[in-house]
């Protein structure tokens, strides 16, 4: 277990002391561009799903089999919140049955990403429209997610079959974003065991995945039989001791979301430490490199990590108390980051693209989706714009 050192001082104090010099029209323009792209993609994508990343800026179309299938319907629900256009509601709710079928047939469901999948596809339409079939499906997904728990270690296994020797007892930082499905299930059913499992997972993960210096390792192995913590390593980062940018971003946002449900101040401190580490390693234009070991050029950026971190910072800033010295700077940092994404990363410069944000990286070590649009980056960019333009009650 790593005992964290004191959190480092937030750099760029002056920049983050005020919001970026952009007006409401700037944000509206960024939002309108995104809404236009979503609308035109409805016909292009039809009833298929965009793949996790584009190829030369254009998403391949795949069936509902990936961990990323829910980001596209998630964008419909955000678009509906802005426009109340029935087109988006129909498109979003029209996918609920397909997500139910995926669960019933157990199509690629041996993953902790049931949280990403069923929060955006099913919890969202339940919250927005009271869609009962979506509620039932999301509760089934929460039950299935709980079956991935290793009781002794108190953690939810990330990938693969629970008996797969390569994956058994392995957690990943991304799982912090899958826990809101469990918190929601407790709220819906009045049964505490979902929430208790999520709380135990986040606290155990934090104790081992967050390093002494407030960077994170991507994945961590436990002995499933004894619960003994074993070792950390990376899957998508540069090295076992570097800090994968999207993992750090998931950690910021995931801890802030767990705080929303658990109200444990330690989660806010975890989010704060991870956030300062992330912000202090951004280059001048505030678009993160794909691994935070890189700070000054020669490597690809990851616009998705950057957009996720911005959403996490907005959630975190809102949770911090009025007198908290990071409250203003974290919000301003998120706004600067979002403005930088809007100015320098959108597909306006590549009109043939079906994505919103260029310059994402899915997995550099695997050569997957390097310097491409990512459907999760697009979703979180749209979520960030939604938070900025109208305020937002999270689906998470
Ligand atoms: N959750 C997988 C990823 O962020 O690539």
């Amino acid at each position: 277990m790593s005992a964290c050192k004191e959190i480092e001082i937030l750099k760029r104090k002056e920049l983050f002391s005020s919001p970026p010099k952009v007006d409401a029209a700037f944000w509206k323009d960024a939002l309108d561009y995104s809404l236009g792209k979503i609308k035109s993609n409805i016909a292009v994508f039809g009833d298929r799903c965009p793949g996790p990343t584009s190829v030369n800026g254009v998403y391949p179309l795949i069936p509902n089999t990936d961990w990323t299938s829910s980001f596209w319907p998630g964008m419909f629900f955000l678009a509906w919140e802005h426009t109340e256009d029935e087109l988006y509601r129909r498109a979003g709710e029209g996918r609920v049955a397909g997500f139910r079928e995926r669960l019933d047939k157990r199509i690629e469901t041996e993953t902790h990403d049931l949280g990403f999948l069923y929060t955006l596809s099913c919890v969202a339409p339940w919250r927005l429209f009271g869609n009962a079939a979506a509620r039932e499906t999301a509760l089934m997904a929460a039950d299935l997610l709980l079956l991935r728990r290793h009781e002794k270690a108190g953690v939810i296994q990330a990938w693969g079959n629970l008996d797969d020797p390569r994956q058994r007892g392995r957690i990943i930082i991304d799982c912090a974003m899958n826990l809101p499905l469990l918190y929601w299930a407790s709220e819906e059913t009045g049964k505490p065991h979902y929430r208790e499992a999520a709380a135990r997972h986040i606290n155990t993960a934090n104790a081992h995945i967050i390093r002494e210096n407030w960077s994170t390792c991507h994945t961590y192995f436990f002995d499933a039989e004894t619960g003994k913590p074993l070792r950390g390593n990376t899957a998508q980062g540069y090295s076992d001791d570097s800090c994968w940018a999207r993992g750090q971003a998931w950690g910021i946002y995931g801890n802030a979301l767990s705080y929303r449900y658990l109200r444990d101040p330690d989660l806010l401190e975890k989010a704060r430490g991870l956030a300062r580490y992330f912000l202090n390693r951004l280059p001048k234009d505030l678009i993160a490199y794909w691994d935070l070991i890189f700070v000054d050029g020669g490597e690809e950026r990851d616009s998705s990590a950057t957009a996720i971190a911005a959403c996490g910072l907005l959630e975190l800033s809102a949770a911090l108390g009025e007198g908290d010295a990071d409250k203003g700077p974290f919000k301003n940092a998120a706004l600067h980051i979002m403005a930088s994404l809007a100015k320098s990363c959108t597909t306006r410069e590549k009109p043939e693209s079906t994505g919103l944000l260029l310059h994402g990286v899915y997995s550099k070590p695997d050569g997957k989706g390097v310097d491409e649009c990512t459907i999760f980056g697009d979703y979180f960019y749209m979520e960030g714009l939604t938070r900025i333009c109208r305020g937002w009650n999270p689906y998470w």
Side-chain angles (χ1 to χ4, degrees):
M1 187 176 308
S2 64
C4 287
K5 279 200 299 216
E6 208 174 313
I7 303 176
E8 62 193 20
I9 304 282
L10 182 64
K11 296 179 188 160
R12 295 196 174 90
K13 275 259 155 58
E14 202 175 311
L15 181 67
F16 297 155
S17 68
S18 55
K21 292 186 178 31
V22 295
D23 58 12
F26 171 88
W27 295 118
K28 183 172 180 321
D29 181 54
L31 180 66
D32 286 347
Y33 176 77
S34 304
L35 287 170
K37 193 57 104 176
I38 293 169
K39 196 167 204 168
S40 64
N41 279 342
I42 287 182
V44 178
F45 296 168
D47 59 6
R48 309 274 284 176
C49 301
T53 70
S54 63
V55 178
N56 294 324
V58 176
Y59 285 112
L61 299 179
I62 61 171
N64 182 355
T65 51
D66 204 275
W67 74 273
T68 55
S69 301
S70 59
F71 292 110
W72 178 227
M75 282 192 268
F76 296 149
F77 296 124
L78 294 174
W80 181 84
E81 292 207 54
H82 290 283
T83 61
E84 298 204 5
D85 184 334
E86 286 298 304
L87 172 75
Y88 299 118
R89 179 173 174 175
R90 274 198 308 275
E93 290 194 287
R95 292 199 174 226
V96 170
F99 278 85
R100 173 61 182 258
E101 188 186 348
R102 181 167 171 178
L103 264 192
D104 286 342
K105 295 188 176 160
R106 297 287 194 271
I107 300 169
E108 301 293 334
T109 51
E110 287 194 321
T111 169
H112 67 142
D113 286 327
L114 293 166
F116 280 113
L117 286 167
Y118 287 88
T119 300
L120 294 182
S121 67
C122 291
V123 175
W126 162 248
R127 288 195 195 275
L128 292 176
F129 313 120
N131 184 317
R135 176 184 183 274
E136 187 181 297
T137 305
L139 287 174
M140 285 173 61
D143 284 330
L144 195 57
L145 181 54
L146 275 192
L147 295 181
R148 301 189 62 73
R149 256 186 109 237
H150 291 291
E151 173 57 35
K152 274 269 164 56
V155 295
I156 296 166
Q157 181 173 316
W159 297 317
N161 188 279
L162 296 189
D163 293 325
D164 178 345
R166 290 162 309 161
Q167 301 297 348
R168 188 162 166 77
R170 185 186 210 178
I171 65 165
I172 67 173
I173 190 163
D174 321 30
C175 190
M177 293 297 293
N178 289 319
L179 303 178
L181 179 68
L182 299 178
Y183 298 126
W184 169 82
S186 269
E187 286 190 349
E188 277 304 311
T189 61
K191 295 179 183 163
H193 65 288
Y194 301 100
R195 171 192 169 99
E196 286 163 6
R200 189 152 169 226
H201 178 96
I202 189 85
N203 288 320
T204 309
N206 281 342
H208 298 284
I209 263 186
I210 302 178
R211 303 190 185 103
E212 223 192 307
N213 67 353
W214 293 93
S215 69
T216 46
C217 57
H218 181 195
T219 98
Y220 198 95
F221 285 91
F222 293 83
D223 182 317
E225 273 60 56
T226 63
K228 189 173 167 224
L230 298 176
R231 66 185 182 283
N233 79 346
T234 198
Q236 285 161 253
Y238 175 75
S239 65
D240 288 347
D241 53 5
S242 71
C243 182
W244 179 49
R246 195 160 61 252
Q248 191 84 2
W250 293 137
I252 298 167
Y253 199 1
N255 272 285
L257 286 170
S258 273
Y259 177 78
R260 179 178 270 269
Y261 290 95
L262 299 175
R263 296 283 150 189
D264 174 354
D266 181 60
L267 296 165
L268 276 190
E269 286 314 294
K270 295 292 190 288
R272 183 198 305 277
L274 301 182
R276 287 206 205 154
Y277 186 95
F278 186 95
L279 290 170
N280 284 348
R281 279 150 192 85
L282 293 181
K284 199 160 182 286
D285 62 7
L286 305 179
I287 312 295
Y289 289 97
W290 66 276
D291 191 297
L292 300 179
I293 200 169
F294 305 114
V295 288
D296 61 2
E299 288 286 330
E300 292 81 10
R301 309 305 184 98
D302 182 9
S303 56
S304 78
T306 311
I308 294 158
C311 292
L313 286 164
L314 290 171
E315 178 75 21
L316 172 57
S317 165
L320 292 172
E322 281 312 319
D324 193 291
D326 281 328
K327 188 176 180 69
F330 281 168
K331 179 170 182 189
N332 290 332
L335 296 174
H336 279 282
I337 287 171
M338 286 295 296
S340 187
L341 286 170
K343 283 178 191 162
S344 65
C345 284
T346 71
T347 49
R348 285 181 205 255
E349 62 187 74
K350 195 168 183 145
E352 72 279 16
S353 173
T354 48
L356 290 181
L357 277 189
L358 298 168
H359 311 312
V361 173
Y362 184 8
S363 180
K364 178 89 191 257
D366 300 310
K368 261 166 83 174
V370 177
D371 198 21
E372 287 289 347
C373 306
T374 63
I375 197 65
F376 32 94
D378 290 356
Y379 167 82
F380 284 101
Y381 177 64
M382 183 68 188
E383 188 193 295
L385 290 175
T386 304
R387 284 175 174 272
I388 292 167
C389 292
R390 66 192 306 277
W392 189 58
N393 280 328
Y395 308 148
W396 305 107

